[in-house]
Amino acid sequence: MSKNATVITYGCQMNVNESAKIRTIMEDLGYNITEKIEESDMVFLNTCTVREGAATKIYGKLGELKKARDARGTKIIITGCFAQEQGKKLLQKFPCIDIIMGNQNISKIPEALEKIEKVQEVIKAGKLRDKKLKHVVLTGYDDELPPRIDADFNNDITASMTIGYGCNNFCTYCIVPYVRGREKYIPMEELINQAKEYVKKGYKEIMLLAQNVNSYGKGLSEGETFANLLQGIADIEGDFLIRFISPHPRDFTDDVIDVIARNPKIARSVHVPLQSGSTKILNDMNRGYTKEQYLELVDKLKSRIPDVALSTDIIVGFPGETEENFKDTLDVVKKAKYDTAFMFMYSIRTGTKAGEMEEQIEEEVKKDRLQRLISLQTEMSNEVSKEYYGKIERVLVEGASRKNKDMLSSRTSSNKVVLFKGDPSLKGQFVNIKINQCKTWTLYGEVVD
Ligand code: 5AD
Ligand code: SF4
């Protein structure tokens, strides 16, 4: 009888990509992939730990999985950043977990499954003396690149490609460098060949992933730079778009801006994580740029790539943030005119520098600032949206809209969602749409030739 496996994903695009790899490994082992936990023999929980709140969600889900395990013996495997961070500690709270596995160990899934099966045979036979053996914990990592796993993606339009692992920046609020280790990058030729494969298979969008994409090339040979990588992929024949996340504003060199400007295949949407608009706070965050340098970068991006849309990440309530400092953030938000922003209240991550700082900000103040920031950004997003009225946009069709089944959902090169009426066979194609209605987060339009 065939076996089923489920992969549940929390967190960023990197986790989405790693979940695709886990699915591929499980399929190669002969498992069917299902979303139904109640039919699953093996459930992977691919976790995130970047902000508080992630843990609460994971604990809730683990409670649910424990019931499945008690009822049917479903195995529980926890992977991802939270697994890496917590390691064995998780077993104290949840002895029901069978395998704990860090980010760099997913290629060892077959080995881990074999081990756990052997252990459980021993348990069944009543021969287990060493209680610790009941679980498998694999959270080690080294300086080598993890083995390459070519994933078949669920979505047949976008292929995501990890170009590098880890982060060397140590922004003082961030746990990522502790759980994902130091930066290492995949050689350019390998990446360009992989991208060629994806284009040949018919993918219409290539998403490049790394914690800090524009540090690409550290440790590789001269000439293996992010700008050259982008150009190399843009040179592949075919009609497709290239996206990338996340760049670091400090490392956004002119050669990268020029390559984007020259190549319409590179999406007109750039993520420029601000984090704070105050030079004092940016310094305390160890971000490596000032408010003025950031705004210069924004100006440069907008003037050299006239149709570019910007998005950002912002944290409010970092330790020591005064009302004055927060106003600097609001000021940048007004000036930069982002299409979208991901906005967060600062949360302490154990082991980081900011976690130790005195002057932590009260919850109420953080909440208030977040609300004010969200309402300003909503106004800005609304303004940006209105600028699309009457324009003709080339969009990539993703399929039926989830909310409105009669409509197709698509995205512009600038990453705006556009809904329109059209034949479902347009899925995966580029079409021209005339925009005739602009809501804050969604545009509407009709097909034009
Ligand atoms: N508290 C709040 N937000 C955080 N981020 C990272 N660490 C923290 C933290 N401790 C946010 C940053 C980052 C995004 C992925 O998550 O804005 O860019
Ligand atoms: Fe975290 Fe900063 Fe690295 Fe991004 S660049 S992963 S925010 S340490």
Side-chain angles (χ1 to χ4, degrees):
M1 207 178 69
S2 68
K3 287 184 166 184
N4 296 329
T6 303
V7 184
I8 300 165
T9 314
Y10 295 132
C12 66
Q13 285 298 323
M14 193 69 91
N15 270 14
V16 173
N17 174 284
E18 279 161 4
S19 286
K21 290 175 177 160
I22 295 174
R23 287 193 191 93
T24 303
I25 293 175
M26 294 310 285
E27 277 171 346
D28 288 348
L29 289 172
Y31 281 76
N32 292 321
I33 304 298
T34 168
E35 283 180 16
K36 294 184 184 145
I37 294 174
E38 64 280 8
E39 291 174 6
S40 208
D41 300 286
M42 194 135 326
V43 179
F44 290 81
L45 201 55
N46 195 10
T47 60
C48 170
T49 187
V50 77
R51 289 177 297 274
E52 217 172 31
T56 328
K57 250 202 215 160
I58 295 163
Y59 291 151
K61 202 72 190 175
L62 274 169
E64 191 186 317
L65 295 182
K66 183 180 180 302
K67 281 187 201 144
R69 191 179 193 269
D70 291 345
R72 291 178 305 280
T74 310
K75 297 215 173 27
I76 303 176
I77 299 148
I78 169 155
T79 59
C81 292
F82 190 68
Q84 182 74 51
E85 183 199 8
Q86 299 288 318
K88 280 185 193 153
K89 267 191 276 172
L90 264 174
L91 291 174
Q92 286 158 8
K93 256 198 179 122
F94 289 94
C96 60
I97 298 173
D98 294 285
I99 301 173
I100 296 174
M101 184 172 262
N103 310 81
Q104 298 226 355
N105 297 283
I106 50 181
S107 64
K108 296 191 186 129
I109 287 173
E111 198 181 302
L113 292 185
E114 216 170 276
K115 243 189 207 165
I116 200 78
E117 238 143 60
K118 267 197 200 131
V119 170
Q120 289 180 355
E121 270 169 32
V122 180
I123 297 175
K124 259 195 212 146
K127 286 184 194 156
L128 190 80
R129 283 205 199 95
D130 184 354
K131 285 221 165 80
K132 274 182 278 176
L133 263 180
K134 272 163 102 176
H135 318 275
V136 174
V137 181
L138 284 170
T139 49
Y141 57 78
D142 51 36
D143 292 333
E144 301 294 310
L145 278 169
R148 183 171 144 177
I149 302 159
D150 281 334
D152 267 337
F153 300 91
N154 288 350
N155 158 341
D156 42 16
I157 296 169
T158 306
S160 67
M161 248 169 68
T162 307
I163 65 168
Y165 298 88
C167 183
N168 292 358
N169 286 322
F170 289 94
C171 300
T172 54
Y173 51 82
C174 186
I175 190 91
V176 169
Y178 302 92
V179 288
R180 286 196 176 261
R182 296 296 68 73
E183 285 172 24
K184 30 194 181 259
Y185 293 99
I186 299 171
M188 203 161 94
E189 201 188 328
E190 197 177 313
L191 292 172
I192 294 177
N193 286 337
Q194 196 180 345
K196 272 186 196 152
E197 283 298 307
Y198 288 141
V199 173
K200 219 200 262 166
K201 278 189 178 171
Y203 287 104
K204 290 291 188 289
E205 202 169 63
I206 307 275
M207 169 89 91
L208 307 179
L209 300 176
Q211 295 316 322
N212 185 359
V213 279
N214 46 359
S215 283
Y216 176 78
K218 244 183 222 166
L220 299 179
S221 329
E222 210 185 310
E224 292 185 280
T225 62
F226 188 54
N228 288 342
L229 174 66
L230 282 175
Q231 187 62 62
I233 298 178
D235 285 341
I236 298 171
E237 237 173 84
D239 199 4
F240 64 95
L241 269 177
I242 305 164
R243 297 186 187 275
F244 54 86
I245 42 171
S246 270
H248 192 301
R250 183 199 56 211
D251 302 323
F252 223 116
T253 43
D254 286 357
D255 57 347
V256 174
I257 301 180
D258 289 341
V259 171
I260 302 172
R262 274 203 309 268
N263 289 282
K265 272 188 197 168
I266 305 175
R268 267 41 195 152
S269 135
V270 179
H271 191 64
V272 240
L274 167 67
Q275 311 301 0
S276 167
S278 146
T279 298
K280 147 88 172 55
I281 298 295
L282 285 169
N283 188 46
D284 293 349
M285 287 176 162
N286 191 30
R287 290 291 289 173
Y289 52 88
T290 62
K291 175 185 180 186
E292 288 70 30
Q293 284 167 332
Y294 182 90
L295 285 170
E296 254 172 55
L297 172 65
V298 165
D299 279 348
K300 223 192 278 179
L301 284 164
K302 290 195 172 186
S303 62
R304 294 209 203 158
I305 317 167
D307 44 355
V308 77
L310 303 181
S311 59
T312 199
D313 288 350
I314 300 172
I315 299 174
V316 299
F318 183 83
E321 185 188 69
T322 62
E323 176 62 22
E324 211 50 39
N325 299 149
F326 173 63
K327 284 201 172 127
D328 272 325
T329 299
L330 296 179
D331 187 44
V332 176
V333 167
K334 270 191 207 136
K335 290 184 169 135
K337 254 188 143 188
Y338 303 108
D339 266 47
T340 41
F342 301 91
M343 297 163 277
F344 313 105
M345 286 196 286
Y346 168 75
S347 61
I348 292 181
R349 303 286 69 205
T350 314
T352 60
K353 266 199 184 156
E356 305 287 309
M357 290 178 184
E358 289 163 13
E359 293 192 275
Q360 297 287 334
I361 304 293
E362 276 175 38
E363 210 56 21
E364 283 313 305
V365 176
K366 286 192 219 173
K367 274 189 194 155
D368 173 65
R369 289 184 186 161
L370 184 64
Q371 279 319 315
R372 285 155 65 200
L373 177 63
I374 291 175
S375 64
L376 173 64
Q377 180 51 42
T378 308
E379 248 175 68
M380 306 309 290
S381 292
N382 196 21
E383 268 181 39
V384 172
S385 232
K386 281 187 192 145
E387 289 167 12
Y388 284 86
Y389 186 80
K391 284 192 180 166
I392 293 178
E393 288 284 325
R394 188 166 189 261
V395 299
L396 175 57
V397 185
E398 297 184 317
S401 154
R402 259 192 249 159
K403 281 191 197 145
N404 189 341
K405 292 273 182 264
D406 299 337
M407 302 280 238
L408 291 176
S409 181
S410 66
R411 266 180 307 125
T412 63
S413 169
S414 62
N415 217 14
K416 265 277 181 210
V417 174
V418 181
L419 299 188
F420 66 98
K421 285 219 161 90
D423 196 283
S425 66
L426 291 177
K427 182 178 170 181
Q429 292 188 32
F430 288 98
V431 290
N432 289 326
I433 302 288
K434 179 155 192 203
I435 307 299
N436 54 25
Q437 195 189 353
C438 307
K439 295 200 178 160
T440 308
W441 310 116
T442 315
L443 305 174
Y444 296 80
E446 54 194 40
V447 184
V448 288
D449 289 330

